[in-house]
């Protein structure tokens, strides 16, 4: 009796294993859905071989949708509108989509498999995104956990970006990570030096890309990145500017200040930069240069908890407190913020208190 | 006890570096269920449930966030700061949910000892009783943690 049961269980297990194997093989070898058409923005059409994710097929055609996790459905960045042919929304997409996004057919392109003709809508700026092969030319330690990385472009040799935009840095598999990922970092360089890209990166404990950059990436190494992305940029008005940033949030503001120098921009501007200790302030000399090069620019470093031996005689406390102390009326100003969601939310509240209209506050939130 | 396919899959995910560099289990060779059970007992011996520990961690994080990246006072002898990075983390357990890449750093000013946890740690302790494996970057010893935060 026991032997019969055992044999039955064994046979059923074998059949189940065989079926699973057939399914896996089918997916790999028979999951070719033939030629499919991807219609983009009702204008252009791509002929692709179906069977892969929309993200992978677009990337194959050199259309780079932002994605940090390599298409595993864990970052939620690769959103686009699928107007027709995307199939039902998957449970893996749901946590990343708001009700409004679901209603307007937003999908995660890494989770949409192309099995038939499909119609999508993507922002026009995406077509300007390119993949760059670069060489790490310089690594500069700015604080104990922030470094500036300079990459020389190899192919293509130049990048055209608007200060405030970001790129995605490719991280290969390495000792501490078996996965290839991309991570987004704001460009900190002067857009005039278009043969180089400079990034300011803060080490994230356990971070896949930052651990790679800090512990494995060496000068001379080849890296890959794509971009530019994003619409955080200076407006073309004459309104006085309030910049607020902290830590690696320095990056896009620095790039914007280079732009102001290059274009002889005479707007009045104040830059409040927050740090915990004096040793966490960086690029102070460059900020002094900007003060002398720009018509009406003031750099205001703010140290929350200066040590007595640091002899700090500048602004203290939270960066938002310093803004409140120095600005009486922000109603005619614009603000550009870069940093953590907490810092940005607190800054927005203070700026509104000082009379600034919400539509004049622009930010790049770390979220 | 024989592990279910789901447990094996979870353990493989936790050991891999798919979601965080170095994975969640570090050099710990124990099974996930053994780690969770041992830590539950350790926390209980210290006088707290894992839910109580997670609740207190969340309280500290909520206060620390107001420091905008700087240390703020939590209690007598305790201060904390929160650092945030771009992006989000997903829980390795098979359920929906993403957590901000936010790390709370707690300093015991009496001995300058530092402890750190992410928003994902708070969730994993609250919902799964998981303090990570020994040798992982964010491993927290339940009794040492309880001793500092309460």
């Amino acid at each position: 009796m026991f032997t019969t049961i055992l044999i039955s269980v064994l046979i059923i297990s074998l059949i189940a294993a065989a079926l699973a194997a057939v399914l896996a093989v089918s997916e790999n070898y028979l999951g070719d859905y033939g030629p499919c058409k991807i219609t983009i923005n009702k204008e252009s059409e791509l002929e692709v071989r179906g069977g892969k994710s929309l993200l992978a097929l677009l990337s194959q055609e050199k259309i780079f949708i932002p994605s940090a996790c390599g298409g595993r459905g864990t970052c939620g960045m690769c959103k686009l509108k699928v107007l027709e042919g995307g199939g039902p929304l998957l449970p893996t997409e749901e946590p990343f989509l708001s009700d409004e996004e679901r209603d307007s057919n937003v999908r995660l392109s890494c989770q949409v498999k192309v099995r038939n003709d499909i119609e999508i809508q993507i922002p026009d700026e995406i077509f300007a995104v390119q993949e760059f092969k670069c060489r790490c030319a310089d690594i500069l330690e700015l604080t104990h956990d922030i470094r500036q990385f300079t990459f020389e472009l190899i192919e293509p040799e130049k990048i055209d970006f608007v200060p405030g935009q970001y790129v995605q840095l490719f991280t290969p598999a390495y000792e501490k990570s078996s996965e290839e990922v991309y991570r987004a970092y704001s460009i900190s360089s002067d857009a005039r030096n278009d043969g180089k890209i400079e990034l300011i990166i803060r080490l994230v404990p356990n971070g896949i890309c930052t651990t790679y950059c800090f512990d494995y990436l060496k000068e001379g190494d080849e890296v890959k990145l794509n971009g530019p992305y994003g619409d955080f940029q200076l407006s073309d008005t004459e309104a006085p500017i309030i910049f607020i940033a902290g830590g690696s949030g320095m990056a896009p503001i620095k790039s914007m200040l280079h732009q102001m120098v290059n274009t002889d921009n005479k707007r009045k501007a104040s830059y409040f930069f927050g740090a915990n200790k004096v040793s966490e302030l960086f690029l102070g000399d460059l900020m002094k240069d900007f003060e002398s090069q720009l018509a009406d620019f003031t750099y205001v470093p703010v140290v929350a908890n200066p040590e007595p031996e640091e002899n700090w005689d500048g602004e203290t406390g939270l960066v938002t407190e310093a803004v409140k102390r120095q600005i009486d009326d922000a109603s005619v100003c614009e603000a550009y913020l870069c940093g953590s969601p907490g810092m940005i939310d607190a800054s927005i509240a203070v700026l509104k208190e000082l009379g600034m209209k919400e539509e004049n506050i622009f930010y790049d939130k770390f979220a | 006890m024989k592990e279910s396919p789901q447990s094996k899959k979870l353990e493989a995910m936790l050991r891999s570096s798919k979601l965080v560099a170095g994975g969640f289990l570090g050099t710990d060779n124990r099974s996930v269920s053994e780690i969770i059970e041992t830590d539950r007992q350790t926390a209980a011996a210290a006088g707290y449930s894992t839910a109580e520990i997670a609740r207190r961690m969340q309280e500290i994080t909520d206060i620390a966030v107001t420091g905008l990246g700087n240390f703020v006072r939590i209690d007598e002898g305790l201060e904390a700061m929160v650092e945030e990075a771009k992006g989000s983390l997903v829980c390795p357990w098979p359920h929906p949910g993403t957590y901000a890449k936010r790390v709370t750093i707690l300093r015991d000013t009496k001995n300058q000892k530092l402890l750190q946890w992410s928003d994902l740690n708070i969730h994993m302790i609250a919902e799964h009783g998981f303090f990570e494996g020994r040798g992982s970057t964010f491993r927290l010893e339940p009794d040492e943690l309880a001793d500092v935060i309460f």
Side-chain angles (χ1 to χ4, degrees):
Chain A
M1 176 68 177
F2 180 72
T3 316
T4 314
I5 293 171
L6 202 66
I7 290 170
S8 307
V9 169
L10 192 67
I11 290 171
I12 291 167
S13 303
L14 283 172
I15 292 171
L19 281 173
V22 168
L23 275 175
V25 169
S26 307
E27 187 63 26
N28 277 337
Y29 296 99
L30 306 176
D32 177 355
Y33 294 86
C36 300
K37 194 171 68 184
I38 303 177
T39 306
I40 305 172
N41 298 351
K42 298 190 187 296
E43 284 170 358
S44 53
E45 287 180 359
L46 294 174
E47 284 286 334
V48 296
R49 193 122 207 120
K52 287 185 183 172
S53 76
L54 184 53
L55 178 72
L57 289 171
L58 289 173
S59 165
Q60 206 172 283
E61 299 294 325
K62 304 286 178 208
I63 297 174
F64 299 102
I65 307 294
S67 163
C69 66
R72 293 192 306 279
T74 57
C75 72
M77 283 179 71
C78 61
K79 290 175 184 174
L80 48 74
K81 281 188 182 175
V82 177
L83 306 177
E84 243 183 82
L89 188 71
L90 301 179
T92 44
E93 298 173 78
E94 284 174 4
F96 297 101
L97 301 175
S98 65
D99 290 344
E100 197 182 319
E101 286 174 325
R102 283 176 218 195
D103 291 345
S104 49
N105 302 313
V106 173
R107 303 285 301 270
L108 294 191
S109 59
C110 70
Q111 299 298 298
V112 175
K113 196 164 181 175
V114 178
R115 297 184 165 95
N116 42 255
D117 292 351
I118 190 166
E119 191 183 336
I120 64 170
Q121 194 181 323
I122 53 179
D124 288 337
E125 307 87 79
I126 291 291
F127 296 106
V129 172
Q130 288 179 290
E131 186 159 69
F132 295 87
K133 194 163 90 171
C134 328
R135 182 177 297 106
C136 178
D138 185 54
I139 301 174
L140 178 66
E141 198 161 307
L142 298 175
T143 72
H144 71 284
D145 65 351
I146 298 180
R147 287 182 191 170
Q148 176 178 283
F149 296 82
T150 306
F151 300 106
E152 272 171 8
L153 304 183
I154 300 172
E155 177 63 45
E157 291 177 348
K158 289 181 177 180
I159 182 169
D160 184 14
F161 71 93
V162 180
Q165 287 192 299
Y166 69 92
V167 291
Q168 293 203 132
L169 181 63
F170 173 76
T171 310
Y174 64 101
E175 194 187 354
K176 285 193 174 170
S177 169
S178 56
E179 303 295 324
E180 295 179 344
V181 297
Y182 282 89
R183 290 289 183 264
Y185 299 103
S186 294
I187 304 170
S188 61
S189 35
D190 182 345
R192 206 175 40 180
N193 296 332
D194 55 6
K196 285 181 182 171
I197 291 178
E198 188 188 88
L199 308 176
I200 292 175
I201 300 178
R202 182 178 211 155
L203 178 66
V204 178
N206 254 29
I208 291 176
C209 187
T210 61
T211 303
Y212 168 73
C213 289
F214 275 65
D215 296 347
Y216 295 85
L217 183 63
K218 302 278 175 291
E219 286 175 12
D221 286 355
E222 274 196 13
V223 299
K224 201 167 70 172
L225 48 82
N226 61 43
Y229 297 97
D231 51 13
F232 182 54
Q233 56 183 275
L234 281 179
S235 74
D236 55 7
T237 70
E238 293 301 316
I241 297 171
I242 299 170
F243 293 112
I244 307 176
S248 56
M250 166 69 85
I253 310 297
K254 174 178 173 290
S255 189
M256 287 175 175
L257 290 168
H258 283 298
Q259 180 193 18
M260 288 180 71
V261 171
N262 296 340
T263 55
D264 195 22
N265 192 320
K266 295 200 165 34
R267 288 170 77 173
K268 180 180 170 60
S270 305
Y271 179 13
F272 295 85
F273 181 74
N276 196 35
K277 291 187 279 187
V278 175
S279 59
E280 290 171 9
L281 294 172
F282 56 88
L283 299 180
D285 290 343
L286 179 67
M287 293 303 128
K288 279 196 189 117
D289 289 346
F290 284 137
E291 281 183 324
S292 60
Q293 291 167 325
L294 287 164
D296 193 355
F297 171 65
T298 314
Y299 174 58
V300 187
V302 186
V303 180
N305 301 300
E307 300 290 339
E309 64 272 20
E310 290 177 321
N311 297 320
W312 178 249
D313 61 356
E315 282 282 358
T316 57
L318 299 181
V319 70
T320 45
E321 292 166 353
V323 172
K324 257 179 153 173
R325 279 192 294 268
Q326 296 216 2
I327 308 280
D328 295 325
D329 178 11
S331 59
V332 294
C333 304
E334 284 179 354
Y336 294 84
L337 325 172
C338 186
S340 66
M343 192 213 77
I344 287 182
D345 292 343
S347 299
I348 291 172
V350 164
L351 291 166
K352 282 165 76 179
E353 234 177 84
L354 294 170
M356 191 176 284
K357 295 183 194 110
E358 195 150 2
E359 63 264 31
N360 290 339
I361 305 175
F362 307 95
Y363 51 84
D364 183 6
K365 212 175 191 172
F366 287 2
Chain B
M1 197 174 72
K2 198 166 183 277
E3 277 193 284
S4 67
Q6 287 86 351
S7 304
K8 280 186 185 165
K9 199 172 164 190
L10 173 65
E11 182 153 343
M13 173 61 92
L14 291 169
R15 286 207 187 279
S16 78
S17 49
K18 282 184 196 299
L19 301 177
V20 293
F24 292 94
L25 291 179
T27 51
D28 206 325
N29 291 321
R30 297 173 298 165
S31 69
V32 177
S33 53
E34 194 183 343
I35 294 171
I36 290 173
E37 180 52 23
T38 308
D39 286 343
R40 189 192 63 75
Q41 289 175 15
T42 307
Y48 300 98
S49 68
T50 51
E52 285 170 323
I53 290 176
R55 223 171 7 248
R56 177 65 180 146
M57 290 163 77
Q58 187 63 60
E59 276 172 17
I60 292 170
T61 294
D62 290 343
I63 299 170
V65 163
T66 62
L68 311 185
N70 305 299
F71 275 102
V72 292
R73 185 180 180 277
I74 303 296
D75 272 336
E76 185 61 40
L78 275 188
E79 47 185 40
M81 67 180 280
V82 164
E83 283 183 350
E84 295 180 72
K86 258 187 177 136
S88 57
L89 291 168
V90 287
C91 178
W93 265 260
H95 63 81
T98 57
Y99 302 87
K101 265 192 193 172
R102 198 161 71 163
V103 177
T104 302
I105 299 162
L106 180 70
R107 181 159 63 199
D108 186 336
T109 53
K110 295 185 288 294
N111 53 20
Q112 298 303 310
K113 188 177 170 180
L114 295 173
L115 288 175
Q116 64 172 14
W117 61 76
S118 67
D119 282 20
L120 178 59
N121 281 119
I122 299 176
H123 161 76
M124 291 195 297
I125 293 170
E127 298 298 322
H128 311 296
F130 182 59
F131 290 76
E132 301 206 7
R134 289 180 190 140
S136 77
T137 309
F138 282 89
R139 163 71 184 172
L140 290 159
E141 295 298 338
D143 48 351
E144 286 174 21
L145 174 63
D147 189 42
V148 177
I149 64 176
F150 289 106

